[in-house]
Amino acid sequence: MLRRTLPAGAYAAPLPAGTDTASAQAAVAVAPDEEVVVVRPPPRVCSPDPCWTGGGCVCARRSAGHEKHMGRGAILALILGMAATSAVATSAVARDDRAAERRQMVETVERLALSLGASTGHANLDARVLNALRTVPRHEFVPAEAARLAYANRPLDIGHRQSISQPFVVAFMTHLLQVQPDERVLEIGTGSGYQAAVLSLLAREVYSVEIVAALGKRAALTLQRLGYANVATRIGDGYGGWKEHAPYDKIIATAAPDHIPPALIAQLKPGGRLVIPVGSVDPGVQVQDLMVVEKAPDGTTTSTNVVPVRFVPLTRDVRPN
């Protein structure tokens, strides 16, 4: 990992993509609206193993000079989130009969985190984050036709050229965020609402902004139906954050800008933490760095590049669909 100190609101340029990015890009070209983490070891060689259907690929170190080809989003995943006192146990959740599948999903996430630990620096994920993944009914946040795959460690299409991230990505990023029970969290990119639901079990309050109106409205209804009362959502341009409820203890973004939006730094509390993919959004590249940005009391920021990733670009215009 590379660590450097930047002035408040500064743009942290991403590191160059790892070796053999052409192979990784070709693998993810089938579904450009999904994210992929490419672990950065030199040099990189991918095996011909198939990717997840409709997903991207990641290269994870197997041994010196040789890499194991992972399923789409397998390495990028990585993520975190309202206190356990949140009222999430509605009748829909209480009737859930897929708890065993969630436990198996979390076991898969734990094994993957351990296997990638040497590359990511995070072999063991926060127990609170893993408990949240065991609790949130992921199948409630995906289209009915994809519900049978809800607990597979892969991203799923949710319409409007968007997806619900792979469970490992959600777990890893949330882990990096280090959410505490008394904190206020801002999410940029509501999507299906699943990440917000996970965050709601870890934080006091969650505020989430979605630029695709149809997705934002659907997510809000799902969150309300399932009883995630400490999550507030709105339709809007996430580049500007959500000023009315600032400052935030933690901010997480699930789409990639080519620089860190100044508004997010401005709305982050001193001592706060931002987890965000940053880098090129060129259709021919779209490889970014997953970054952790920490804000000091004097307003300066320290940025850490954790791992190369591939996210959809952060768009600027509110879209009805």
Side-chain angles (χ1 to χ4, degrees), residues 29 57 149 179 190 217 243:
C57 298
L149 299 173
V179 179
T190 312
K217 292 174 182 177
K243 186 177 180 180

Side-chain angles (χ1 to χ4, degrees), residues 65-286:
H66 188 70
E67 306 302 322
K68 182 178 180 180
H69 192 248
M70 306 293 292
R72 152 198 207 61
I75 298 186
L76 161 69
L78 323 152
I79 313 190
L80 319 144
M82 171 178 166
T85 57
S86 173
V88 298
T90 63
S91 59
V93 177
R95 292 194 303 269
D96 174 39
D97 59 355
R98 303 187 67 176
E101 291 179 77
R102 283 197 297 280
R103 288 193 297 270
Q104 185 175 24
M105 177 190 75
V106 171
E107 290 173 0
T108 299
V109 167
E110 289 183 287
R111 287 195 300 269
L112 184 54
L114 186 61
S115 69
L116 298 175
S119 297
T120 66
H122 298 271
N124 298 295
L125 303 185
D126 189 307
R128 293 178 63 237
V129 174
L130 297 176
N131 284 335
L133 264 67
R134 292 187 188 97
T135 302
V136 177
R138 182 175 159 92
H139 63 280
E140 298 281 359
F141 293 89
V142 302
E145 59 271 21
R148 65 184 181 84
L149 299 173
Y151 298 105
N153 190 39
R154 54 173 292 180
L156 297 171
D157 179 34
I158 59 172
H160 308 279
R161 294 183 58 81
Q162 302 297 315
S163 66
I164 181 172
S165 294
Q166 178 189 19
F168 176 70
V169 173
V170 174
F172 187 69
M173 289 182 70
T174 307
H175 166 83
L176 293 177
L177 203 58
Q178 298 183 6
V179 179
Q180 300 303 312
D182 61 345
E183 292 184 334
R184 175 178 295 182
V185 178
L186 172 65
E187 178 193 24
I188 305 302
T190 312
S192 69
Y194 178 71
Q195 173 73 78
V198 171
L199 291 168
S200 79
L201 298 182
L202 305 174
R204 176 170 53 88
E205 299 171 341
V206 177
Y207 294 88
S208 185
V209 182
E210 173 56 55
I211 201 166
V212 181
L215 284 180
K217 292 174 182 177
R218 186 170 69 194
L221 289 174
T222 301
L223 290 163
Q224 181 180 25
R225 173 173 60 85
L226 296 177
Y228 294 95
N230 63 327
V231 179
T233 65
R234 78 173 179 91
I235 309 301
D237 183 351
Y239 184 88
W242 194 342
K243 186 177 180 180
E244 291 77 6
H245 298 286
Y248 301 95
D249 299 283
K250 304 290 167 60
I251 301 177
I252 185 171
T254 59
D258 61 4
H259 62 278
I260 298 174
L264 300 188
I265 297 297
Q267 293 173 27
L268 187 64
K269 280 184 180 180
R273 173 175 284 226
L274 163 67
V275 175
I276 183 171
V278 179
S280 173
V281 293
D282 185 297
V285 182
Q286 286 197 347

